[in-house]
Amino acid sequence: MASQDWHTPETAARASISAYELRPLSVGEVLDRTFSIYRSRFWLFAGISALSGSVQLVTQGFGLFIHHLVLVHYGRSAALVGTEIVNVAAIFIFLLATAVTQAATVYALSEVYLGRIATVGLSLKGTIGQWYRYLGIALWQTGSMIWVALLLVTPAIVLFAMKLTAFYWLAILLALLAGFGGLAYGFYAYLRNSLGVQIAVVEQATVRSSMRRSKLLSNGAKGRVFLVLLIAAGLFWVAGMIQFPFLILIGRSPLEEHVLAQGAILLVSFFAHTLVSPVALIGLSLVYFDQRVRKEAFDLLMLLGPETAPQQAVVTEAVYPVVASPQAEVAYPQTMSVTDNVAPAPPATVISEEDAGQIGDATKL
């Protein structure tokens, strides 16, 4: 991410002439700008998203191939077990690929938003070195959604498994709380943590700092975040409707493999992920920039130029617990600290021994 430092003089000078005006945006303007940027750089964003979509397609296709081989040689029970093992590994690989491509999409959006050149290769190069950070954010976001529901549903499963009929009412109650209260809290927690990738990419913050700062920046913007995610979910729902006939075909004869139908489902999933994922990421990134404009006067920082960048970095560090990037420290060895803003004390007055004696006599009187 060395080429993406928002606090260096060169970057601040170039950012003062941005491709899109940095100012507070209404909800309609956020959505309009989301689709405008996506249309103008369609192949860039779709190309980045297609990488993780390809990983999903290959891993799921490999799972179907393993299922077929095990089914032919060892039977259906072994095939189900082998498929589940492959699916768990495929989910982790897909999550890793998605975390990196999400960060690359945010990187590309920030470059485009400030009128700089962005390509698929440069975006991946600028983010892949911190893949573990983005994976940690993805795991944190996912965990924040499900931990309450899991905490409630696990005792219910244990009660049902032990066949404690006297406590079935408690198991049902816990299951209902997990289904409604747990998922509702999980969605709220995800709204609070939804800007973590943007913060990690743009500000080079750690996982914990990104999550903490996301809660601050998302304050007052949860409605806009929800609307962006709702639009993306609606687009994914359209893809699900395309898959629905194939799912019905598989459900009518579940003992058959339905290779063509499952292949069609995988292709629809690939195109849905490739085409819809950038909408959510671009929209969330615009909400992130809009919140920084509203809360931190980010537009004024970019307009005032390089001489204000160190002070802005200090103010941001003081108000929000964000880890400064190493590039910023190299670019500004003279960065002001908080104590640099304190006026220097006046020079001390030198008193001779004769004057000291006179002062002592005066105090005795």
Side-chain angles (χ1 to χ4, degrees), residues 87-296:
N87 286 340
V88 171
I91 289 173
F92 181 79
I93 295 173
F94 174 66
L95 185 63
L96 174 60
T98 301
V100 174
T101 54
Q102 283 182 346
T105 301
V106 173
Y107 183 100
L109 183 278
S110 62
E111 296 289 279
V112 171
Y113 205 54
L114 293 181
R116 297 200 288 263
I117 297 175
T119 64
V120 175
L122 289 176
S123 300
L124 290 173
K125 183 179 179 181
T127 54
I128 198 170
Q130 302 291 332
W131 64 268
Y132 52 89
R133 178 177 298 173
Y134 309 128
L135 178 61
I137 291 175
L139 293 174
W140 190 309
Q141 291 174 333
T142 304
S144 68
M145 289 184 63
I146 64 175
W147 75 270
V148 173
L150 287 178
L151 190 64
L152 292 172
V153 79
T154 301
I157 296 174
V158 172
L159 291 175
F160 280 118
M162 296 179 65
K163 297 181 180 181
L164 300 176
T165 56
F167 295 97
Y168 275 3
W169 65 270
L170 179 59
I172 295 174
L173 178 61
L174 290 174
L176 291 175
L177 289 176
F180 293 98
L183 294 180
Y185 172 81
F187 187 73
Y188 174 76
Y190 184 81
L191 292 179
R192 298 180 68 201
N193 295 324
S194 58
L195 303 180
V197 177
Q198 286 74 16
I199 294 168
V201 172
V202 176
E203 302 175 23
Q204 290 289 278
T206 61
V207 175
R208 183 177 294 274
S209 297
S210 298
M211 294 295 99
R212 196 181 308 134
R213 181 153 157 79
S214 177
K215 294 176 175 63
L216 296 173
L217 282 183
S218 63
N219 187 23
K222 294 183 182 66
R224 283 174 289 167
V225 171
F226 172 77
L227 187 57
V228 169
L229 295 177
L230 182 63
I231 292 174
L235 295 175
F236 276 116
W237 180 83
V238 173
M241 290 298 99
I242 298 175
Q243 293 176 328
F244 191 67
F246 301 105
L247 294 174
I248 293 178
L249 178 62
I250 295 174
R252 292 180 62 181
S253 51
L255 297 180
E256 298 182 12
E257 290 192 78
H258 297 288
V259 177
L260 294 180
Q262 294 195 38
I265 291 175
L266 294 184
L267 288 176
V268 173
S269 298
F270 166 76
F271 285 108
H273 176 84
T274 300
L275 300 178
V276 177
S277 296
V279 175
L281 291 170
I282 294 172
L284 291 177
S285 299
L286 294 184
V287 172
Y288 161 78
F289 282 115
D290 186 63
Q291 286 298 98
R292 288 199 65 181
V293 169
R294 292 173 183 269
K295 292 178 176 287
E296 303 170 3

